[in-house]
Amino acid sequence: MGFMKHNIVDNVAFSNKLRHVNPKLKVIFALSLLLISVFSTSFIVPLIIFFINSILLLFKAKVPKKIYAVFVGIPLGFGILNLVIFAFLFGTVEWFKINVFGFEIPVYKDGIELGLLLFGRMLGGVSSMLFLAFTTPMVELFYIFRELKMPDVLVDMMMLIYRYIFVLYEEYEKMKFAQESRLGTSNLKSTYKSLGALAAHLFIRAWEKGEKLNITMMSRCYDGKIKLLQTIENPSIKYILFIAIFDIFLIILAYLTKDFTLTSYIKI
Amino acid sequence: MHIMEGYLPPMWCAVWWVLSGIVIAYGIVKLKKLLEESPEMKPLVAISGAYMFILSSLKMPSVTGSCSHPCGNGLGAVLFGVPITAVLAAIVLLFQALFLAHGGLTTLGANDFSMGIVGPAAAVIVYRLCMKAGLSSTVGIFFAALFGDWLTYVTTAVQLALAFPIPSFTAAFTKFIVIYAYTQVPLAIAEGILTVIIWDYIKKLRPDLLLKLGVVPEEELKPYLTPSPAGGE
């Protein structure tokens, strides 16, 4: 199931080689690349951003290649499918036609261009988010949110939901194993029945655990705000300047390539 | 749903961020008030958020830059209302962007508008109509989850058609909604059934919370509220 992946990312975030780089620095880096990628009007700079993030994650952070491939596969797969859809369905300028069993199917030039742009932006954007996700544990982000003066109730709810996601996952593993031990998935009908019971019990069990947690916290003088004792120091101004210069370089490059269109270089 | 990072043009990212931001800000105020008045609600609110995370992480690709999946937003909407569900959805979407590369930060505004605002609003409206019609809350929650899911996807199709009105809004919307319909119609029905099962458990285990939230008539909860004579709490 898809949601098992959150465990993988969380584990990598704690064990990667960029783990101890200042998290504020990593947030600034990832968000700036993300914004540059999204604001680009051709796919060149987003692709460059994708390669930079990939190199940093694979060779500096030492994220396992297999794990990275799985996560990058998502925007890659969607990007390719989307490109095909846009080439055939989302365009107004006809480029050429494909003859299939006597039917002429038009391929749109502007559809391909838009598809390529979205493809690049998705790779650049998702890889920037993955950079942050794979290198920075969620708990450090909570500190940063607190420093940014996000409402207490919001950050507290984030922390509780974060915890409950793993509670649900643990309970899911136990119940799934127990069901399979009793041949709960031996045919389609019992699979659906087991899934419904699993989800329902999962909800209730996690809720019960949440109630116990709440009582435990209140017995320790919890008054509605989870206090954090640690603070994260600000990164060195030197590194901020490095990132700023790098961002400016990318912005200039994005401006210079803003009108690039691949299809104008291909003759039909 | 869950429009992928980088898929929307920046202008549309900003528009949806502003629209969602307004509701989220109001939701934070309401959430703070709810938890001050009823601290015992905190675990249920948090578990509703985690439930939304789990359900909306089970995704199936539907060829364009987003995908189909259950949303889990009907339950939270009926229990706590739309603004609080918008806050929970924003948190869930943030985690999914960071944990699963599912959705994104620039598209969080758009995704929250569909999954955290329009979907829950549809769920609440349908639920209240069912209750006014005299149906039981179990039937109401089924249709709430069903319509909450469908309206989430209709909204996403609208958002994508607005961003890419090629050759026209209507044509683009039709394409997106048809692509989603194949997976989303049966998925919503399955989610409705799942939510009914969970709802029945909540009624049995914590009817006092439902009574306090005022979402289920007292007469329907009466059988569950009677304490067991054999040494109940």
Side-chain angles (χ1 to χ4, degrees):
Chain A
M1 287 190 172
F3 71 88
M4 287 177 183
K5 287 186 196 165
H6 72 278
N7 249 29
I8 297 174
V9 176
D10 203 61
N11 288 338
V12 172
F14 276 98
S15 63
N16 72 96
K17 293 295 187 291
L18 292 177
R19 163 74 173 78
H20 298 294
V21 172
N22 188 290
K24 292 177 183 177
L25 206 63
K26 288 183 282 190
V27 168
I28 291 169
F29 180 79
L31 291 190
S32 60
L33 291 198
L34 169 65
L35 289 176
I36 292 170
S37 180
V38 168
F39 275 90
S40 297
T41 55
S42 85
F43 63 87
I44 291 177
V45 165
L47 276 190
I48 290 172
I49 288 170
F50 168 66
F51 285 122
I52 289 166
N53 283 321
S54 297
I55 289 168
L56 286 175
L57 282 172
L58 292 172
F59 299 107
K60 292 294 284 181
K62 293 293 190 352
V63 173
K65 291 183 180 61
K66 196 173 183 180
I67 291 177
Y68 189 65
V70 167
F71 281 87
V72 168
I74 296 168
L76 268 177
F78 277 137
I80 292 168
L81 283 170
N82 183 70
L83 178 59
V84 172
I85 293 292
F86 269 52
F88 288 113
L89 293 177
F90 285 84
T92 53
V93 180
E94 211 174 86
W95 199 17
F96 61 92
K97 283 183 167 128
I98 295 177
N99 198 295
V100 180
F101 303 118
F103 291 100
E104 283 196 329
I105 302 175
V107 176
Y108 296 104
K109 191 172 190 174
D110 50 335
I112 288 177
E113 284 303 330
L114 185 53
L116 282 174
L117 172 61
L118 296 183
F119 184 50
R121 276 184 185 167
M122 280 193 273
L123 280 182
V126 172
S127 63
S128 300
M129 291 305 299
L130 285 178
F131 176 85
L132 189 60
F134 276 132
T135 62
T136 311
M138 187 65 72
V139 286
E140 288 179 353
L141 295 180
F142 292 147
Y143 289 122
I144 294 176
F145 293 153
R146 189 77 86 185
E147 271 193 54
L148 292 172
K149 302 301 183 194
M150 275 195 190
D152 288 337
V153 69
L154 183 64
V155 182
D156 282 1
M157 192 52 61
M158 279 185 191
M159 289 192 260
L160 285 176
I161 291 179
Y162 175 77
R163 171 63 187 147
Y164 288 171
I165 287 167
F166 290 96
V167 169
L168 279 172
Y169 178 67
E170 286 169 29
E171 292 300 314
Y172 164 80
E173 284 278 291
K174 291 176 189 169
M175 291 181 178
K176 185 79 173 175
F177 183 75
Q179 276 185 346
E180 285 173 0
S181 301
R182 293 166 176 79
L183 304 179
T185 56
S186 57
N187 58 57
L188 190 65
K189 182 184 175 183
S190 58
T191 298
Y192 277 116
K193 193 173 176 182
S194 297
L195 183 62
L198 175 69
H201 283 100
L202 196 63
F203 187 94
I204 298 302
R205 185 69 64 83
W207 184 10
E208 285 168 357
K209 284 201 169 185
E211 294 260 317
K212 288 175 185 166
L213 176 66
N214 201 45
I215 292 170
T216 302
M217 288 166 71
M218 284 195 288
S219 67
R220 288 168 172 76
C221 303
Y222 172 61
D223 59 357
K225 177 181 177 178
I226 300 174
K227 295 177 174 60
L228 304 173
L229 299 181
Q230 181 187 326
T231 58
I232 297 176
E233 58 195 50
N234 289 330
S236 165
I237 196 68
K238 175 174 63 178
Y239 295 114
I240 300 287
L241 283 179
F242 281 165
I243 291 181
I245 291 170
F246 183 63
D247 286 344
I248 291 170
F249 166 76
L250 284 180
I251 290 169
I252 292 171
L253 192 60
Y255 180 78
L256 292 176
T257 60
K258 65 182 169 65
D259 292 321
F260 178 85
T261 56
L262 187 65
T263 51
S264 61
Y265 289 90
I266 300 175
K267 306 298 185 203
I268 295 293
Chain B
M1 231 294 283
H2 282 56
I3 300 170
M4 190 168 290
E5 189 77 270
Y7 196 79
L8 283 184
M11 183 197 75
W12 281 110
C13 292
V15 166
W16 297 118
W17 258 99
V18 169
L19 291 178
S20 292
I22 293 167
V23 181
I24 291 170
Y26 179 56
I28 290 172
V29 172
K30 287 204 71 173
L31 181 59
K32 182 181 277 256
K33 198 200 307 180
L34 172 75
L35 296 183
E36 279 167 359
E37 290 169 2
S38 314
E40 71 274 14
M41 289 291 179
K42 185 162 254 180
L44 183 54
V45 176
I47 202 63
S48 298
Y51 173 73
M52 202 183 297
F53 177 93
I54 299 295
L55 275 206
S56 55
S57 298
L58 310 172
K59 60 182 189 285
M60 304 165 204
S62 66
V63 306
T64 53
S66 51
C67 47
S68 292
H69 55 80
C71 299
N73 51 2
L75 182 68
V78 169
L79 288 174
F80 307 114
V82 176
I84 289 176
T85 306
V87 177
L88 295 181
I91 295 172
V92 165
L93 289 163
L94 175 69
F95 287 169
Q96 283 171 334
L98 290 172
F99 276 148
L100 304 174
H102 184 193
L105 217 56
T106 58
T107 54
L108 193 146
N111 289 327
D112 194 72
F113 192 83
S114 58
M115 187 171 95
I117 297 173
V118 175
V124 169
I125 290 169
V126 168
Y127 182 78
R128 287 182 183 166
L129 287 176
C130 288
M131 300 313 288
K132 274 186 163 61
L135 301 172
S136 78
S137 66
T138 303
V139 174
I141 200 66
F142 172 81
F143 284 110
L146 187 79
F147 279 90
D149 216 53
W150 281 346
L151 265 294
T152 299
Y153 278 88
V154 171
T155 305
T156 301
V158 169
Q159 289 167 331
L160 293 175
L162 286 171
F164 307 111
I166 305 165
S168 71
F169 171 84
T170 306
F173 173 79
T174 304
K175 288 162 188 165
F176 284 119
I177 203 68
V178 166
I179 289 169
Y180 283 136
Y182 287 112
T183 47
Q184 205 47 42
V185 168
L187 211 54
I189 294 169
E191 184 183 340
I193 294 169
L194 183 70
T195 309
V196 161
I197 296 173
I198 291 174
W199 184 257
D200 280 342
Y201 272 107
I202 297 177
K203 280 201 290 182
K204 286 174 194 161
L205 295 180
R206 295 304 301 265
D208 54 314
L209 291 187
L210 295 179
L211 197 60
K212 190 165 187 178
L213 289 166
V215 296
V216 181
E218 186 169 359
E219 49 268 32
E220 190 179 330
L221 289 172
K222 197 158 283 183
Y224 307 105
L225 286 165
T226 309
S228 164
E233 64 178 352

